[in-house]
Amino acid sequence: MSDAELLAIFLRTGVMGKSAVDLARDLLAHFSSLNGIFAASAQEITGVQGMGRSKFVQLQAIFEMSRRALLEQMHERDVLTSPQAVRQYLNMKIGGQPHEVFMALFLDAQHRVVAVEELFRGTLTQARVYPREVVKRALYHNAAAVIFAHNHPSGEAKPSEADKLLTEALKAGLQLVDIRVLDHFVVAGNKICSFSELGLL
């Protein structure tokens, strides 16, 4: 099934002159992707003809259930054995955000997720990250390891030089308290780039 057809199942009904599939296509065209739809505000969604508050709440509930199902997987097993779940979760969490967001997945010694936090939020092009605060949060959660992620609203899933320098600073700070940095993901829409896979860690 296409994205529009799947979305139409949850929309259930269309509006006069438009089927549920037509309405789903309008949403996808307006917000560019499923992530774009789910990241949109209530005001943005209800601004589309045929989309009321109840449909917005319904879409958010679907999206939240999907995120929670992925998060459950990461709580229950070593994230290194289920990298796709991590990527899908990050994509759903920050892939469609209009501003840069920096977040961390704090892991126990078995690399299971113990907490997920959005640590910093910034402008369209950058979020100011303070390594000292990251170390404090990692210690608060008694983390043995951490995975970082941030989004590039520009759509370019490629680490910048600033991203590389920040990662090195975070890695050095966390090493002092015996916490490993397993990866740092750059998320741009549906594209995700891994520092680890690029050999940058």
Side-chain angles (χ1 to χ4, degrees):
M1 297 178 75
S2 69
D3 288 348
E5 289 168 332
L6 283 170
L7 190 56
I9 291 171
F10 296 105
L11 294 175
R12 294 183 301 174
T13 59
V15 293
M16 187 172 292
K18 285 186 181 180
S19 67
V21 174
D22 291 332
L23 184 54
R25 287 187 183 127
D26 286 351
L27 283 168
L28 286 165
H30 187 82
F31 295 104
S32 302
S33 66
L34 288 172
N35 268 333
I37 293 171
F38 291 127
S41 67
Q43 184 176 1
E44 289 170 324
I45 290 291
T46 55
V48 176
Q49 184 185 8
M51 291 299 297
R53 180 78 187 182
S54 62
K55 278 189 167 61
F56 168 76
V57 171
Q58 189 176 354
L59 288 175
Q60 288 300 303
I62 295 161
F63 193 52
E64 185 60 26
M65 282 192 295
S66 300
R67 279 198 300 215
R68 289 186 186 188
L70 289 168
L71 192 55
E72 279 181 10
Q73 287 185 44
M74 295 188 292
H75 276 293
E76 293 167 359
R77 64 183 74 167
D78 182 338
V79 296
L80 299 183
T81 66
S82 53
Q84 194 56 35
V86 176
R87 287 172 177 266
Q88 288 174 341
Y89 177 81
L90 293 174
N91 184 275
M92 295 175 74
K93 187 74 174 175
I94 61 175
Q97 293 291 332
H99 297 92
E100 192 161 307
V101 174
F102 184 90
M103 62 180 293
L105 282 69
F106 298 104
L107 315 174
D108 65 15
Q110 285 73 47
H111 296 158
R112 294 171 303 202
V113 173
V114 294
V116 177
E117 287 190 10
E118 179 186 306
L119 298 174
F120 306 100
R121 181 176 286 254
T123 63
L124 182 63
T125 57
Q126 66 178 358
R128 188 174 295 277
V129 178
Y130 299 96
R132 182 179 177 214
E133 294 303 313
V134 175
V135 173
K136 283 171 63 177
R137 296 309 297 165
L139 290 171
Y140 173 82
H141 292 295
N142 197 28
V146 64
I147 292 173
F148 296 117
H150 76 281
N151 63 319
H152 281 179
S154 63
E156 181 65 38
K158 181 180 177 182
S160 67
E161 288 305 312
D163 293 337
K164 295 174 188 177
L165 290 171
L166 171 62
T167 304
E168 284 303 314
L170 290 169
K171 183 179 175 182
L174 288 163
Q175 277 178 340
L176 295 174
V177 289
D178 199 27
I179 297 173
R180 292 180 59 208
V181 176
L182 298 184
D183 211 336
H184 184 167
F185 291 100
V186 179
V187 183
N190 292 319
K191 297 172 287 186
I192 298 183
C193 175
S194 159
F195 271 60
S196 180
E197 290 176 4
L198 292 175
L200 297 175
L201 285 174

